[in-house]
Amino acid sequence: MATEEKDIEQSKNNQKKDEDESPGQSLPYPKQIFFIISMETCERFSYYGMNTILTIYLISLFKRTYSEEKANDVSTIFYHVYKFGCYASGLIGAALADSFVGKYRTILYIGTMYAIGQAILSFGAVGRGEGGIANFPNQPVSFIGIFLIALGTGGIKPCVVSFGADQFKVPEQAKQMATYFAMFYASINFGSMISTVATPYLRRVECMGEESCFSLAFGLPAVLMFIAVFFFFFGRNSYTRHTPDKNIVTIFFKCSWHALKRRKFKTKYQHWLDVAVDRFDQETIDDIKAVYRVGVLFLLYPMYWALYDQQGSRWTIQAMKMNGFTWGWQILPDQMQVANPILILLLIPLFDQVIYPSLGKCGLLKTPLQRVVTGCFICGLSFVISGVLELQLRKGYPDLPKVDQAKIFLHNGLECPVTFDPASAIVLGLEADYSLPSGGTMEKILNHGSYPVAGEGCEKRFTMDITLADPEESRTYLISSKSGGDPVVFRSSHEDQIEKDNEDPMPFVRLIGSLDRPCSSVVARLIRSKNSEVKNIGTFGSSTFDSEVVKMEHTKEHILNVRCDESSGWEFNHTMEYEVGASYNLFLTGQENVSVYFVTSPNSVHIFWLLPQYAVVTIGEILFSITSMEFAYSQAPPSMKSVIQALYLMTTAVGNLITMVIVEIFSAIGLEQYLEFFTFAGLMTVVSFILMWLASRYEYVYYTETEKKSVDNPGYEAEDVQKSD
């Protein structure tokens, strides 16, 4: 640590010397920066607004083909394929910017394509119901839009931040440039914070005959992207532009390949690239060395992004299984992602003004890579927390039948317990002395087939034949009697809601009745206690009936009103609380008995229990992501800035590829979600230790417009005047 402190002091002296010798200390802040910041804010609104609801939209598409569990896995994989494209396409943007048309034209042209892709996605999400387009090919049109968005957002990513930094003259404006990086990152989170709140609410609007208006929700990001392009174009006459005079990407690969072919000429202490000096000048070779020097560290970055980007996939799916009702207001699952930008905006000043200076006095977190490594460890910790949360959530997950199975519900509507014959008990997988109490309900998952069942209730025999065939997933049987007669078994006509609707967690209700009251027109409805709003359940032609599943629009207290719609009719009410995430079977027997059975249990874990993992991953992001963005720029020679930014973004692409592979493996094996979270946490910890070892051996090189400065493990505060052009 003593050596490092000396390096820090030396770096500070170099900074002071540069400031004293710089004639342009009073250069004004470049006003064109605000066009770039405005453009970035709108673009990030567009990107995160679309990104926030994308997983839920994909689930809605894939549920047309797959089961809900399979749709979740396929959507997660597709989401990370898309994220891979978003960052891998950064190489295309970097090649165009550094080798052909320059950063300005790259941003303008690809940004326009990006906006068009957002518009196509909005059109691709049009509904198929009334007011929409029947049999519209949502998937192919949406996928075209998503492809253009991935190509567009990735194409401009490596260019925007470095194009903004190009507007400064260093070392004279090095401190001003440092504030630019902070403003740039704040603009990202400001745009994402607003869009993450807004677009989920637009998704909940009913339109075109469907409950979710994805077309409207994607339309707002499309508009903001066109505005972003306009802001950028509006400042066209004030930008400092650097048009490339050579194809640096081609030179990079040619030089590397030539050096590999001549590796036999390498001497003992010579860098492997130096053997290419016979065809390439030493300055170019030194610039390429900088890329490889940083690239070694970048090899370990993907694991961080493999975890971080799951906020938009696995963590959103996790939020879909939780209770979002807070103080009379529903927080939607996709809105929980807003916790990240809010925490970013709150914590950045805290870290800059309090935490970093305080820890710096203790010799902690003083170098960029110290912060990066610490951020990796903390990111791994966030997935330990999410794994623990998943262990709690899984207690409320329903058991679902497989493809060749169905779930049965058997309700005892008699006034005394029901027992089963020994053979029937074996068929149903029950203990020999099992007794189903009066008003009780049992559930079992059985293979498709026919099962004869016999038993006794109230000293009277009953028989029934449980028949299950494809494509049935559930069936309900009600044992009851009327006017003291023999037990009768009623088989429901409709299936039950055995899966949770994670897209919209409003409760489901279904009635199964065998009332001991004659009536040829039974009317059932739910009345909201708060404002007497009525939800019709159905009208039935006899007092023995079952309804289809009805999705409620509100939770809390409702009154079930059942009446006979005849001149000499009868009526009764049943009041109860309905909870988010639950599916209810209400059994109506006797004169007015109502028994309640939870087909799926309520979402009992509040959505705010996601906040600890969001807080931890955000702290890791401040340490890792913000630092890495500045680090990648400062360690790049002027000719390689977009190349290194693209390689940095490529680490995110590879991270999403890692996520895809691991999710696919866990899905194929059938391992549970909490094990997947803990696996990611363990891999992140291992990678963090390796990165810590490499970071301890890294030598920092900072570039200015006229020279480069090498400092062995400098203090982070030494960077301000040593950042490159």
Side-chain angles (χ1 to χ4, degrees), residues 2 81 97 135 154 189 215 232 266 294 300 309 402 421 475 515 536 556 570 658 684:
V81 169
N135 301 317
N189 288 280
S215 188
F232 184 72
K266 176 183 173 298
V294 177
L300 297 173
D309 276 342
K402 297 178 181 178
D421 292 351
R475 196 61 64 186
L515 293 167
N536 290 317
K556 304 300 182 183
W570 43 262
I658 292 172
M684 185 74 260

Side-chain angles (χ1 to χ4, degrees), residues 245-377:
D245 56 359
K246 55 184 178 180
N247 191 330
I248 194 64
V249 175
T250 302
I251 292 173
F252 174 84
F253 286 108
K254 283 184 176 180
C255 181
S256 300
W257 179 246
H258 185 65
L260 286 172
K261 290 195 298 183
R262 285 176 51 85
R263 61 186 179 277
K264 62 182 179 181
F265 298 107
K266 176 183 173 298
T267 60
K268 184 175 182 181
Y269 297 105
Q270 189 180 28
H271 192 281
W272 67 275
L273 280 169
D274 287 332
V275 297
V277 74
D278 64 317
R279 287 185 56 183
F280 299 90
D281 61 88
Q282 190 62 47
E283 182 179 357
T284 299
I285 292 173
D286 289 341
D287 287 352
I288 295 173
K289 286 180 185 178
V291 175
Y292 282 107
R293 185 173 63 251
V294 177
V296 172
L297 299 174
F298 283 179
L299 288 174
L300 297 173
Y301 277 27
M303 199 67 232
Y304 170 86
W305 296 113
L307 277 66
Y308 177 84
D309 276 342
Q310 290 187 56
Q311 292 179 70
S313 57
R314 285 307 201 199
W315 283 13
T316 296
I317 293 173
Q318 199 173 38
M320 291 165 70
K321 302 168 184 176
M322 303 176 76
N323 184 357
F325 279 89
T326 308
W327 305 308
W329 192 269
Q330 184 186 4
I331 300 173
L332 301 176
D334 32 1
Q335 286 181 319
M336 273 307 294
Q337 297 176 59
V338 78
N340 177 253
I342 289 176
L343 288 169
I344 282 285
L345 294 174
L346 292 175
L347 292 178
I348 284 178
L350 179 65
F351 270 78
D352 285 343
Q353 303 300 320
V354 179
I355 295 178
Y356 285 151
S358 299
L359 292 178
K361 294 177 181 178
C362 304
L364 300 174
L365 301 184
K366 299 188 73 172
T367 68
L369 290 178
Q370 284 179 357
R371 297 179 185 180
V372 167
V373 171
T374 304
C376 288
F377 278 112

Side-chain angles (χ1 to χ4, degrees), residues 117-139:
Q118 289 279 27
I120 292 174
L121 175 60
S122 178
F123 177 66
V126 67
R128 292 181 170 185
E130 183 178 353
I133 304 175
N135 301 317
F136 184 78
N138 296 104
Q139 284 196 15

